[in-house]
Amino acid sequence: MRNAQEVARFVTGHEHERVIAIDGPAAAGKSTVARLLADRLGALLFDTGALYRAVALSALRSGVFPEDEQSLSQLARDAQISVRPPSVQDGRLYDVWLNGEDVTWAVRDPMVGAIVSRVAEHAAVRAALLPLQRKIASSGPVVMVGRDIGTVVVPDAGLKVYLDATAEERARRRFREAAERGSTQSFDAVLQETLQRDATDSGRHTAPLRPASDAVQIDSDGISVDRIVAEIEELARAGRDAAGRPLWPS
Ligand code: CDP
C-alpha cells in the first residue's frame, strides 16, 4: 500500500490525467504489463517502440543506413504507421501496420532489434514521431509504453511508472519469447543486444532513457506480471480529477 502523500501525487486535473506512462529498458515486461493494465482499465494500449521499430524496418527495406539521419527522418515522416488492437490471436499484444501492411511480427525480427536504437538516437527521427504520439496521448484514456513518455512525450501524464529488471532477467525473458516463436538466436546474442540497446538508449543526447523524477519505480525481478499489474492498477485507481472524482472508476 502507498501512503496518502504518495497517492496525492496522482491527484491531478489536466489534459493528460488519463494517460499512464510506462517507461523502462528493453524487455522489462512493459508491453505485457501494459496490455493487461489497459484491458483492466478500459484504456487503449499504445506501444511507442513499435513506431521506432517500423522506421527501422522501413530503413532496412529501402537500404537506408542507421547513420543517415536525414533519410531516416524522411522515412519517419512519410511512413503511415499505426498501432492498434490485435486483429489476429497469434500471441500478439497489438497490431503494427506500416504503409498498409501488417508488420507486427516483421518489426520483432532480430535484424530490426539490431539497429532500432541507432535509428531512435537521431533527434530528427524522434521529432518526426512526436506529433503522432502526442495526438494519441490527447485522444483519450491510454497506457503509453516507451523510453521517454514520462520525460518528454507526456511529461504531465497522470501516472508515470518506470519498470526495470536486471539485464540477465530481461535477456532471459526475451530469449524465451523469441525461442517460442522459432528464433535460433543464442542467449548470449540476446543478452549482448539487450546490453547494447540499454547503452545506446541511455547514452543518447536526445530524450535518453531515464526515469522521470516523479515516476514510481518498479523492479520486476522475481515479481509476477499479475502483481505488477495489480500494483499499477491500485495507483491508477487512487487518482482523482480536479473535482475529486476517480480518474479510473472501477
Ligand atoms: O520491446 P523492447 O523493450 O525490446 O523495445 P521497444 O519498446 O520495442 O523499443 C525498441 C527501441 O525503440 C528501443 O530500444 C529504443 O531505442 C527505441 N524507443 C525509443 O527510443 N523511444 C521510445 N519511446 C520507444 C522506443
Side-chain angles (χ1 to χ4, degrees), residues 52-127:
Y52 293 92
R53 286 177 175 273
V55 175
L57 177 67
S58 195
L60 283 173
R61 287 177 170 180
S62 43
V64 170
F65 291 108
E67 295 73 34
D68 185 350
E69 177 163 13
Q70 210 191 339
S71 304
L72 289 170
S73 62
Q74 193 61 49
L75 279 181
R77 275 193 298 275
D78 293 346
Q80 295 290 321
I81 309 169
S82 68
V83 184
R84 37 194 208 230
S87 61
V88 186
Q89 286 204 327
D90 60 358
R92 64 182 62 190
L93 298 171
Y94 47 80
D95 273 19
V96 187
W97 286 71
L98 171 65
N99 301 329
E101 180 192 345
D102 182 348
V103 294
T104 307
W105 292 116
V107 297
R108 309 305 309 184
D109 191 282
M111 298 226 309
V112 172
I115 66 157
V116 63
S117 285
R118 283 151 67 204
V119 168
E121 260 186 310
H122 302 296
V125 171
R126 307 196 70 82

Side-chain angles (χ1 to χ4, degrees), residues 26-27 48 53 108 117 126 147-148 174 197 201 204:
T48 60
R53 286 177 175 273
R108 309 305 309 184
S117 285
R126 307 196 70 82
R147 301 290 187 285
D148 59 343
R174 193 44 57 90
R197 263 196 310 131
D201 291 347
R204 71 183 170 221

Side-chain angles (χ1 to χ4, degrees), residues 93-225:
L93 298 171
Y94 47 80
D95 273 19
V96 187
W97 286 71
L98 171 65
N99 301 329
E101 180 192 345
D102 182 348
V103 294
T104 307
W105 292 116
V107 297
R108 309 305 309 184
D109 191 282
M111 298 226 309
V112 172
I115 66 157
V116 63
S117 285
R118 283 151 67 204
V119 168
E121 260 186 310
H122 302 296
V125 171
R126 307 196 70 82
L129 295 176
L130 205 49
L132 173 61
Q133 296 177 73
R134 293 231 166 111
K135 191 172 144 202
I136 300 282
S138 298
S139 70
V142 58
V143 179
M144 284 184 79
V145 176
R147 301 290 187 285
D148 59 343
I149 307 304
T151 51
V152 173
V153 180
V154 199
D156 62 343
L159 175 58
K160 299 177 196 175
V161 173
Y162 189 85
L163 195 57
D164 208 347
T166 58
E168 287 70 22
E169 173 65 24
R170 290 184 284 120
R172 258 195 301 280
R173 292 177 192 162
R174 193 44 57 90
F175 175 69
R176 268 199 304 269
E177 281 166 18
E180 276 166 21
R181 290 202 311 273
S183 162
T184 53
Q185 251 191 325
S186 68
F187 174 77
D188 270 358
V190 175
L191 178 61
Q192 285 318 311
E193 187 204 301
T194 306
L195 293 170
Q196 184 58 54
R197 263 196 310 131
D198 285 356
T200 311
D201 291 347
S202 309
R204 71 183 170 221
H205 190 67
T206 311
L209 168 69
R210 60 177 171 76
S213 57
D214 53 353
V216 175
Q217 299 201 37
I218 299 178
D219 186 341
S220 72
D221 265 84
I223 305 184
S224 73
V225 166

